[in-house]
Amino acid sequence: MRADAQRNRALILDTAELVFAAEGAAASTEEVARRAGLAIGTVFRHFPTKDDLLTAIMKRLLARLVERAGGLSGPYGLFTFFGTLVAEAAEKRTVVAMAGVDIGAAMGALDDAVGELLVQAQSAGVVNREVRLPEVMALLTSVGQGALHGGWDADLQQRTLAVIFAGLVPPPRA
Amino acid sequence: MRADAQRNRALILDTAELVFAAEGAAASTEEVARRAGLAIGTVFRHFPTKDDLLTAIMKRLLARLVERAGGLSGPYGLFTFFGTLVAEAAEKRTVVAMAGVDIGAAMGALDDAVGELLVQAQSAGVVNREVRLPEVMALLTSVGQGALHGGWDADLQQRTLAVIFAGLVPPPRA
Amino acid sequence: MRADAQRNRALILDTAELVFAAEGAAASTEEVARRAGLAIGTVFRHFPTKDDLLTAIMKRLLARLVERAGGLSGPYGLFTFFGTLVAEAAEKRTVVAMAGVDIGAAMGALDDAVGELLVQAQSAGVVNREVRLPEVMALLTSVGQGALHGGWDADLQQRTLAVIFAGLVPPPRA
Amino acid sequence: MRADAQRNRALILDTAELVFAAEGAAASTEEVARRAGLAIGTVFRHFPTKDDLLTAIMKRLLARLVERAGGLSGPYGLFTFFGTLVAEAAEKRTVVAMAGVDIGAAMGALDDAVGELLVQAQSAGVVNREVRLPEVMALLTSVGQGALHGGWDADLQQRTLAVIFAGLVPPPRA
DNA sequence: AATGAATGAGGATTCATTCAT
DNA sequence: GATGAATGAATCCTCATTCAT
């Protein structure tokens, strides 16, 4: 792939991420092209289908989340991860679980990364051993969606996460 | 309004709720008409705009939630409310916070009803007094969205809510 | 179906027949709409797909040919049929065997009608009994295509058919 | 012209002939480039317009036919020529009279070559002297088109040509 | 000369909305 | 009021053609 094509591919993804985050998956592909300053044909050359573009965005977002989760460690990594996810979603810089797009395998990698954070937190005794990965993922995606569409301010983010964090910590011993 | 018109209005809302829950807000109005066994013109006579139809659905859904919340009382009413909301969302029988539709004022009534449940729970000492209404609403909508798009099974619903419930109860006194 | 819809359906078919005969199957559906004085949506309401429109034209053309063949009889019906087919094709008023369109069953009816003419001609002794239906159909479609694309004048039509007719008559007895 | 350019030009023509014979003139130029293993730009350097490419193919096909007709002689050359033309068309190895492409002058050479075969056949007394070149050409192109689109098998080819040949021979003297 | 990315006009199709019946 | 046909703007996608590398 030529250098300019490489640059355009990235430009399209960046622009599309903004556009779809702002207007939803129903935004037109032409709008993406316009904002990227490219002709519509160029967008379709890189992503032959609108769905391909949406999927590519989702995969890149997930890859970023995986990378971020992988970069964390220690007992409180899981909490940190929750925090940044919500903060980003609230700023619409990320779009998780866009409807109707198949991300399949890409999601598995996130499961693995978050699972690792969960194990570390439980090993350190800061998260209840009863808690399992599926509900952690469910809470992550829920709260991501909520922040995305609800436009929570920093205070609300913190207070909402406080409830979840309180629910994750181990119960006091009798 | 004639009796048949009254009946058609309700029929349209019922059908539209099913259709939009199943296919998202992007489903066509014609599909709603077809499934209702009505002509497209009839749908538009009742709801001059697709947006009007979506808004009407949202309002009716909220009204139902308000009614349900209002029907609950006692220390554990809030928990019950969380439970039924998630269960319904998981079955796609309800659609909360549909994107791009203005529900404005209607939301306030739900705030009031849930606020009342929160007060009762806190008075009875089963919910932490630090917790305030905004984060409760944020958790409700988040978890509703999550269950809606995630298709949680009964077990996952319960485990996810268990974390939130654990976060809502008062901390042990030192 | 309403009266106006019925009229429009026929109008679309008539117009499309002209347009596709003149410009080939690659002509745009919008061109058909424009020449019919209708909005593009109306054409697609009647024929949800361009292919549906092409198929409908083919079927109607074949039905007409079947009707015409069925209206003929007597020893020379087959020759008459050849003659009118070629004359029409030369005037581009008919399009036979448009590429890529599935006409399937509709073709069978024409086989039957022409087969009947062949039997009559052979019974009367004006067509060689060695000749069978497949080659008669092959000659018909060939000569139809040739006249359609070649734009034969009346004289050429006659001279070309003269050769074929001479080939169809029984050989002289020894 | 460089040697590789010469080779590419031939390669493009060969590939295009296959592609257009298989998919019709609506096949994309890009498909031709892909199957030739060349970049699209190379195809357009050799043939600045899709139409130029189509025309070049047609000319080459005609040239081949002329050459073949020119290679034949004797009383039955005309019949042989009919036979090979139909056989090739049935195998889609040749495309005659592609719609919408101007071949103009190139056609004249074929007229001359076939005219010569006709004269020889008539001189030898195996073809009716009443028959003239235009109808022979008309029959050739018709039957070529028919075989091309009809996919005739060997048996049908023979039987169809038998009718035409019977029409070409001189009538029995009284 | 070859490559292959970019362009943008054109074409099929959908769908909210209007309006004649 | 109900019906469903007509409208036409909007959208996805294709492809001939141009041009920078």
Side-chain angles (χ1 to χ4, degrees):
Chain A
M1 194 188 277
R2 275 203 252 158
D4 55 343
Q6 192 87 52
R7 237 177 297 122
N8 276 342
R9 195 193 144 89
L11 173 60
I12 291 166
L13 281 173
D14 289 344
T15 310
E17 200 175 312
L18 284 173
V19 170
F20 290 129
E23 305 178 32
S28 83
T29 311
E30 293 233 30
E31 175 67 15
V32 173
R34 201 176 309 124
R35 289 226 218 155
L38 294 171
I40 183 66
T42 304
V43 175
F44 276 94
R45 161 172 269 265
H46 285 277
F47 305 95
T49 279
K50 184 182 182 177
D51 218 71
D52 289 340
L53 178 55
L54 286 171
T55 303
I57 294 177
M58 295 302 310
K59 285 204 178 129
R60 208 177 58 153
L61 286 170
L62 279 173
R64 267 188 222 147
L65 288 178
V66 169
E67 190 181 13
R68 188 166 311 162
L72 296 172
S73 65
Y76 300 103
L78 183 63
F79 300 99
T80 306
F81 187 61
F82 258 95
T84 52
L85 179 75
V86 166
E88 283 218 339
E91 286 180 58
K92 302 215 185 221
R93 281 233 290 273
T94 224
V95 187
V96 186
M98 210 176 287
V101 177
D102 174 43
I103 24 175
M107 200 67 189
L110 186 60
D111 269 36
D112 292 345
V114 174
E116 177 57 28
L117 292 177
L118 177 61
V119 165
Q120 290 184 31
Q122 288 176 324
S123 300
V126 302
V127 162
N128 186 343
R129 290 184 180 278
E130 299 276 308
V131 172
R132 283 184 290 180
L133 186 55
E135 54 261 33
V136 172
M137 296 305 297
L139 286 165
L140 271 173
T141 58
S142 294
V143 105
Q145 288 278 324
L148 180 64
H149 295 121
W152 305 349
D153 64 26
D155 188 54
L156 182 53
Q157 288 171 40
Q158 188 193 309
R159 301 188 65 83
T160 305
L161 286 175
V163 174
I164 291 177
F165 291 173
L168 288 174
V169 300
R173 270 172 294 153
Chain B
M1 191 187 278
R2 270 161 36 174
D4 58 342
Q6 191 84 51
R7 239 178 298 122
N8 277 343
R9 194 191 146 87
L11 174 59
I12 292 166
L13 281 173
D14 289 344
T15 310
E17 202 175 310
L18 283 173
V19 171
F20 290 130
E23 304 178 33
S28 81
T29 312
E30 196 114 21
E31 174 68 15
V32 173
R34 200 174 312 124
R35 287 228 219 152
L38 295 171
I40 183 67
T42 305
V43 175
F44 273 90
R45 164 168 278 267
H46 285 278
F47 305 95
T49 277
K50 184 182 183 180
D51 220 71
D52 290 340
L53 176 55
L54 285 171
T55 304
I57 292 175
M58 295 302 309
K59 286 207 177 126
R60 207 175 60 152
L61 285 170
L62 279 172
R64 265 188 224 148
L65 288 178
V66 169
E67 190 181 13
R68 186 165 314 163
L72 295 172
S73 66
Y76 299 103
L78 182 63
F79 299 98
T80 304
F81 187 61
F82 257 95
T84 52
L85 179 75
V86 166
E88 284 217 340
E91 286 180 58
K92 301 217 185 222
R93 280 235 289 275
T94 225
V95 187
V96 187
M98 210 176 289
V101 176
D102 175 44
I103 26 174
M107 200 67 188
L110 185 62
D111 269 36
D112 292 346
V114 174
E116 177 56 31
L117 291 177
L118 177 60
V119 165
Q120 290 183 31
Q122 288 175 324
S123 300
V126 302
V127 162
N128 187 343
R129 290 185 179 279
E130 299 276 305
V131 172
R132 282 184 292 180
L133 186 55
E135 54 262 33
V136 172
M137 295 304 296
L139 286 165
L140 271 173
T141 58
S142 294
V143 105
Q145 289 279 325
L148 181 63
H149 295 121
W152 304 350
D153 63 27
D155 188 54
L156 183 54
Q157 289 172 38
Q158 187 192 309
R159 301 188 64 84
T160 305
L161 287 175
V163 174
I164 292 178
F165 291 173
L168 288 173
V169 300
R173 269 173 296 156
Chain C
M1 194 188 277
R2 275 204 253 156
D4 56 343
Q6 191 87 52
R7 237 177 298 123
N8 277 340
R9 196 194 143 87
L11 173 60
I12 291 166
L13 281 173
D14 289 344
T15 310
E17 201 176 310
L18 284 172
V19 170
F20 290 128
E23 305 178 32
S28 82
T29 311
E30 292 231 34
E31 176 67 16
V32 173
R34 201 175 311 123
R35 287 225 219 155
L38 295 170
I40 182 66
T42 303
V43 175
F44 275 92
R45 161 173 270 266
H46 286 278
F47 304 95
T49 279
K50 185 183 181 177
D51 218 72
D52 290 340
L53 178 54
L54 286 171
T55 303
I57 293 175
M58 295 302 310
K59 285 205 180 128
R60 209 176 57 154
L61 287 171
L62 278 174
R64 266 188 223 148
L65 288 178
V66 169
E67 191 180 13
R68 187 164 313 161
L72 295 173
S73 65
Y76 299 103
L78 182 63
F79 300 98
T80 305
F81 187 61
F82 259 95
T84 52
L85 179 75
V86 167
E88 284 218 340
E91 286 180 58
K92 301 214 187 223
R93 282 233 291 275
T94 224
V95 186
V96 187
M98 209 175 286
V101 177
D102 175 44
I103 24 174
M107 200 68 189
L110 186 60
D111 269 37
D112 293 345
V114 174
E116 178 56 30
L117 292 178
L118 177 60
V119 165
Q120 290 183 30
Q122 288 175 323
S123 301
V126 301
V127 163
N128 187 343
R129 288 183 182 279
E130 299 277 306
V131 172
R132 283 184 291 181
L133 186 55
E135 53 262 32
V136 172
M137 296 304 297
L139 287 166
L140 271 172
T141 58
S142 294
V143 105
Q145 289 277 325
L148 180 64
H149 295 120
W152 304 350
D153 63 28
D155 188 54
L156 183 53
Q157 289 171 39
Q158 188 194 309
R159 301 188 65 84
T160 305
L161 286 175
V163 174
I164 291 178
F165 291 173
L168 289 173
V169 300
R173 270 172 296 156
Chain D
M1 191 187 280
R2 271 162 34 174
D4 56 343
Q6 190 84 52
R7 239 177 297 122
N8 277 342
R9 194 193 144 87
L11 173 59
I12 292 166
L13 282 173
D14 288 344
T15 310
E17 201 176 310
L18 283 173
V19 170
F20 291 130
E23 303 178 33
S28 81
T29 312
E30 197 114 23
E31 174 68 14
V32 173
R34 200 175 310 124
R35 288 226 219 153
L38 295 171
I40 183 68
T42 304
V43 175
F44 273 89
R45 165 169 276 268
H46 285 278
F47 305 95
T49 277
K50 184 183 183 178
D51 220 70
D52 290 339
L53 177 55
L54 286 171
T55 303
I57 293 176
M58 295 301 309
K59 286 204 178 129
R60 208 176 58 152
L61 285 170
L62 279 173
R64 265 189 225 149
L65 288 177
V66 169
E67 190 181 12
R68 186 165 314 163
L72 295 173
S73 65
Y76 299 104
L78 183 63
F79 300 97
T80 305
F81 187 61
F82 258 95
T84 52
L85 179 75
V86 166
E88 284 217 338
E91 286 180 58
K92 301 217 186 225
R93 281 233 290 274
T94 224
V95 187
V96 187
M98 210 175 288
V101 177
D102 175 43
I103 26 174
M107 200 66 189
L110 186 60
D111 269 33
D112 292 345
V114 174
E116 177 56 30
L117 291 178
L118 177 60
V119 165
Q120 289 183 32
Q122 288 176 323
S123 301
V126 302
V127 163
N128 187 342
R129 290 185 179 279
E130 299 277 306
V131 172
R132 282 182 293 178
L133 186 55
E135 53 262 33
V136 172
M137 296 305 297
L139 286 165
L140 272 172
T141 57
S142 294
V143 105
Q145 288 279 324
L148 181 64
H149 295 122
W152 304 349
D153 62 27
D155 188 54
L156 183 53
Q157 288 171 39
Q158 187 193 309
R159 302 187 65 84
T160 305
L161 287 176
V163 174
I164 292 179
F165 291 173
L168 290 173
V169 299
R173 269 174 295 154

